[in-house]
Amino acid sequence: MTPELDRRQLFTLGASAVVAASATSVIAAPFAPQNGPAAGNTKGDLKPIAMPEKLKNTAPAGISPKTHEEHFKLYTGYVKKVNEIRDKLSAMGVPDPAKANQTFSEIRELKVEYTFALGGVKNHELYFNILGGQGGAPNGEIAEVIKASFGSYENWVADLKATGIAARGWVWLAHDYTDGSIFNYIGDAQNTFPVWHATPLLALDVYEHAYYLDFQTGRAKYIDAFLKSVDWDEVNKNLAVAKAVATAAKK
Ligand SMILES: [Fe+2]
C-alpha cells in the first residue's frame, strides 16, 4: 500500500465506484469481512467521521454552518442504517438461495438498500472533505488533469454546473484508471450511477437539503458557492489515491 494514503482516504474512496480484482488488495481492506457468518457480511460498527472544522470556511461563499449541521444529521443517519443492515445480514447468516427472489425477498431488500445507505455515507464523507478550501481555479496536479481532459478550468466548471443542474442527487468528478480519463458523472441517488474503475475525486451534493436553506431553489447559485469553497489540496490527495489504484491495477 502506498504509505501516504491513509485509512480515511481509502475508506472514503475505496468502494463506491471502484471494484477491480487487481486492485482489491489496495482498496478493499477497510471492508473486509469482520467475522460475519456469511462471506461479505460485516459487523454493524461503522462510525461517523467528525464534522471537519474547515466546513465553517464555506460561510463567506454562502453555505452556512446551519446547513452543514443539518446535513451532518442526514449523514449520520446513513451510518446508522449501514450498521442496521449489516447487523441484519449478520443475523441472517448464510443466505438460503431458495428464499431469494427478485420481486421481493429479504436479501434483495437488504442488499439494495445497503448500497443506498453505504453510498450515502461515502458520498457525504467525500463531499464534506473536499469543502472548506479557497475554491476558485485548482492548483497542483488536478489543475493539469482538468486542463488535459476539459481544455480549461472554465470548461470543467461549465460541465460541472450543467451536470449538477441536470442531476437529481450528485455529481462525482472521477478518475477512470483504465484510461486515465476524468469525467463529471451524474448521480440520481446515493447508489446511482457509479461506474466501475472510476475513483471519485470530488463530490457535489445537489439534493435540495444541501442548499435550500441558503439558496432556496437557486441551485446554480449554490454550485457557484460550492466552487468558491472547494479544497483543491484534498482533491489532489484523492487524485493521488486514484493514481495509486491505477498503478496497482497495471501490475
Ligand atoms: Fe446530502
Side-chain angles (χ1 to χ4, degrees):
M1 185 179 295
T2 308
E4 67 268 27
L5 306 181
D6 63 25
R7 179 182 171 83
R8 185 198 57 72
Q9 283 177 290
L10 292 176
F11 177 84
T12 301
L13 295 163
S16 62
V18 182
V19 171
S22 56
T24 298
S25 61
V26 174
I27 62 171
F31 299 100
Q34 300 172 36
N35 304 316
N41 294 349
T42 52
K43 286 181 182 172
D45 57 2
L46 185 63
K47 302 280 191 301
I49 62 168
M51 186 187 291
E53 266 288 306
K54 63 177 183 159
L55 280 181
K56 65 179 186 299
N57 298 337
T58 67
I63 306 174
S64 65
K66 181 66 175 169
T67 287
H68 293 311
E69 191 183 313
E70 295 300 317
H71 211 161
F72 234 74
K73 290 179 189 170
L74 290 173
Y75 155 70
T76 54
Y78 286 121
V79 174
K80 285 178 187 166
K81 284 297 173 186
V82 165
N83 288 331
E84 185 179 333
I85 295 170
R86 285 182 178 181
D87 287 342
K88 285 184 185 295
L89 286 167
S90 278
M92 176 187 285
V94 178
D96 179 358
K99 291 181 180 173
N101 184 281
Q102 65 175 326
T103 303
F104 173 79
S105 58
E106 187 180 9
I107 192 165
R108 176 182 164 79
E109 297 312 302
L110 290 171
K111 293 225 167 182
V112 169
E113 302 313 336
Y114 185 69
T115 66
F116 192 90
L118 193 55
V121 171
K122 290 169 185 263
N123 295 331
H124 284 100
E125 290 184 358
L126 179 58
Y127 173 77
F128 293 137
N129 277 312
I130 59 88
L131 276 179
Q134 298 298 309
N139 51 38
E141 189 171 7
I142 190 67
E144 296 166 25
V145 171
I146 285 176
K147 190 173 180 189
S149 290
F150 289 86
S152 68
Y153 168 68
E154 290 73 22
N155 288 350
W156 174 75
V157 166
D159 190 86
L160 183 88
K161 283 188 80 170
T163 309
I165 290 166
R168 296 173 185 164
W170 289 95
V171 180
W172 300 296
L173 172 66
H175 173 277
D176 187 329
Y177 76 71
T178 58
D179 59 8
S181 64
I182 60 169
F183 190 85
N184 288 321
Y185 291 93
I186 208 165
D188 275 353
Q190 305 296 349
N191 53 355
T192 61
F193 310 96
V195 171
W196 302 134
H197 306 158
T199 305
L201 310 175
L202 169 149
L204 164 61
D205 191 339
V206 293
Y207 277 111
E208 280 81 358
H209 64 245
Y211 63 88
Y212 197 85
L213 192 63
D214 299 322
F215 298 97
Q216 293 73 58
T217 56
R219 187 186 290 188
K221 288 180 182 168
Y222 157 69
I223 296 174
D224 288 339
F226 171 88
L227 287 162
K228 289 176 185 168
S229 306
V230 170
D231 182 347
W232 288 111
D233 289 342
E234 201 63 36
V235 178
N236 271 309
K237 287 183 195 169
N238 296 340
L239 180 60
V241 174
K243 295 190 86 170
V245 172
T247 301
K250 286 175 186 150
K251 284 180 181 171

